[in-house]
Amino acid sequence: MASPSNERRQFLGLLPLPERRFLADALRTETVGGVLLLGAAVIALIWANVWPHAYETVRGLTFGPSAPLHLDLPLEAWAQDGLLTIFFFVAGIELKREFVAGELRTPSAALLPVVAAACGVALPAVLYTVVNAVGDGHPAGWAIPTATDIAFALGVLAVVGSHLPSALRAFLLTLAVVDDLIAILIIAVFYSTGITFWALGAAFAGLVLFWFLHRRGVGRWWLMVPLGVAVWALMHESGVHATVAGVAMGLILRCHREEGEEHSPGERIEHLVRPLSAGFAVPVFALFAAGVPVSGKVLGEVFTEAAPLGVVIGLLVGKSVGIFGGTWLAARYTRATLNPQLTWSDMFALSTVAGIGFTVSLLISDLAFVDDPHLAELCKEAVLVGSLTCAVVGTLLLKRRNRYYRQLCEEEDRDSDGDGIPDVYQRQG
């Protein structure tokens, strides 16, 4: 009999029951958020194409104090820099939790989603760069097709893959968490300009104070929320993208449980803030970011201009092949083995769905082409085209396996004695 150290770890096997319950709650919120996100994107497209003047007027409304931190911003910028900070705050908590309690807490378990996410970022960037090098295009947009939109992807799964095994859904969520970390680093390093060091130093001091108060057990919202807003405003003034402040504060929160705690502070705060992020912040951002003109001429430019074409190819080919290839390589050359109930065709279908890039891709489109609004709009159009194509292809691939997924989920959820613990976990015990 093989020793425990030599046993192969099952990849996408049954999750521990507490982790399964936590993920079920998180996925439920993100799935609803995905539906709202889709609705907001549709409204934005209709509004921008039927009443374009009204859309641009509302999006350009400016308000906020001009001194001392230059926060007199248009509504579009408030949605982009302000509301998305809530989204990245939740992403920061997710990252911290994954590192201390989730799939990323051990190197062997973390290797698969980390390699898959890294390949799913690298290949789209390479394909975009190649297309733009050949077509004499614009290399600055290389990061646009690198991000997976977890809310949108889970919204698709809710419609067509409602009976996916929990481990497969958890893999998508973990993959997106790592993907978000890479996207955050890309934004901070490549899309921050004109650094104002006094503001950056003050923002860092605010983060240190936030850490100190949190470690001292100070959790009063009327103190921590204003402090968080001040850190965000200083980060915005510093020239580093303001959403980085949200990630930093999320990473500061304690996500491990101490003796006598049912939930850690990070878990409690994430439970409170996640519905605000998925149900309000991200859909409102989409409302003011996804309104791009749709016409035969514009769609023609998407497939003839190098930059938007690189985005479409990056999402459709780069993300799906990169994620699937990275997963296969990690499983092939590590001790992980695929759950025998699943097939590699399931993984390819999931990888295709992960090619849905929306929220962060729209954000990077604006950041990459801040001096060329027309090209930014074309790249946003390309994000919509590429994401829609990935959704359709992923739907077709997943749909044929949904009956089999239903049987797996029924087996996972069966609770014959009604004690709240699925039978499969009791059989393991």
Side-chain angles (χ1 to χ4, degrees):
M1 180 176 177
S3 65
S5 61
N6 292 326
E7 290 179 354
R8 294 176 68 84
R9 179 181 182 274
Q10 188 179 89
F11 169 46
L12 297 181
L14 192 68
L15 295 174
L17 185 57
E19 183 72 7
R20 183 174 184 266
R21 286 171 170 166
F22 181 87
L23 284 169
D25 181 61
L27 291 167
R28 192 178 301 115
T29 303
E30 291 290 357
T31 299
V32 173
V35 175
L36 294 174
L37 177 60
L38 177 59
V42 171
I43 292 172
L45 286 170
I46 294 173
W47 189 3
N49 285 275
V50 177
W51 302 285
H53 179 70
Y55 182 75
E56 291 300 330
T57 299
V58 172
R59 192 162 66 165
L61 289 175
T62 299
F63 62 93
S66 60
L69 298 178
H70 307 96
L71 293 177
D72 48 336
L73 305 172
L75 194 57
E76 179 185 16
W78 278 109
Q80 181 184 100
D81 295 349
L83 291 180
L84 274 195
T85 300
I86 301 173
F87 166 79
F88 279 106
F89 175 67
V90 174
I93 301 175
E94 288 175 342
L95 279 168
K96 182 69 171 289
R97 188 186 175 280
E98 286 294 326
F99 281 119
V100 301
E103 285 291 295
L104 303 180
R105 69 186 182 278
T106 58
S108 59
L111 188 62
L112 282 159
V114 168
V115 171
C119 292
V121 169
L123 187 56
V126 169
L127 291 177
Y128 177 95
T129 302
V130 170
V131 170
N132 280 264
V134 172
D136 193 23
H138 303 268
W142 62 271
I144 296 172
T146 60
T148 292
D149 192 296
I150 183 60
F152 224 142
L154 289 174
V156 171
L157 294 185
V159 176
V160 297
S162 54
H163 294 89
L164 279 176
S166 58
L168 204 56
R169 289 173 176 265
F171 175 76
L172 179 60
L173 181 62
T174 305
L175 175 81
V177 167
V178 179
D179 188 280
D180 283 343
L181 173 61
I182 299 173
I184 291 159
L185 293 174
I186 289 173
I187 291 171
V189 174
F190 295 99
Y191 296 107
S192 296
T193 57
I195 304 300
T196 303
F197 287 100
W198 74 263
L200 184 61
F204 181 76
L207 287 172
V208 171
L209 179 59
F210 188 91
W211 174 85
F212 177 79
L213 293 174
H214 180 63
R215 286 297 181 272
R216 288 288 182 176
V218 177
R220 298 175 180 84
W221 69 267
W222 48 265
L223 176 61
M224 302 300 278
V225 171
L227 176 59
V229 172
V231 170
W232 169 85
L234 288 164
M235 192 72 74
H236 181 275
E237 176 67 12
S238 75
V240 176
H241 200 269
T243 53
V244 174
V247 179
M249 287 184 283
L251 288 170
I252 284 172
L253 297 181
R254 178 169 62 82
C255 291
H256 64 273
R257 300 174 189 177
E258 295 185 345
E259 186 176 355
E261 287 185 334
E262 185 177 356
H263 301 289
S264 68
E267 289 174 326
R268 289 198 302 270
I269 294 171
E270 181 183 4
H271 181 75
L272 292 172
V273 179
R274 183 187 288 275
L276 176 63
S277 170
F280 177 75
V282 174
V284 171
F285 164 76
L287 181 64
F288 293 110
V292 293
V294 178
S295 65
K297 179 184 177 182
V298 172
L299 289 175
E301 288 184 83
V302 167
F303 292 101
T304 56
E305 293 284 337
L309 180 60
V311 171
V312 173
I313 293 175
L315 289 173
L316 181 59
V317 180
K319 292 295 286 186
S320 55
V321 175
I323 291 171
F324 177 80
T327 304
W328 185 86
L329 288 172
R332 174 68 177 81
Y333 294 105
T334 70
R335 291 189 170 277
T337 59
L338 186 68
N339 184 328
Q341 294 178 314
L342 303 173
T343 68
W344 283 107
S345 62
D346 298 330
M347 285 306 305
F348 185 75
L350 194 73
S351 299
T352 303
V353 172
I356 299 174
F358 196 78
T359 305
V360 178
S361 294
L362 293 177
L363 172 63
I364 296 177
S365 296
D366 281 327
L367 297 178
F369 301 115
V370 66
D371 297 324
D372 193 340
H374 176 67
L375 191 55
E377 294 293 294
L378 281 180
C379 286
K380 288 183 180 181
E381 188 91 21
V383 169
L384 297 178
V385 171
S387 297
L388 179 61
T389 306
C390 287
V392 171
V393 174
T395 294
L396 294 175
L397 293 174
L398 287 171
K399 194 68 175 175
R400 64 184 182 85
R401 293 278 288 169
N402 204 43
R403 180 178 298 179
Y404 176 67
Y405 294 144
R406 184 182 295 113
Q407 295 173 348
L408 290 183
C409 283
E410 287 174 354
E411 179 65 21
E412 273 193 17
D413 293 336
R414 187 174 292 113
D415 182 13
S416 302
D417 54 9
D419 64 351
I421 301 176
D423 298 342
V424 65
Y425 289 93
Q426 293 174 318
R427 285 201 299 271
Q428 284 189 335

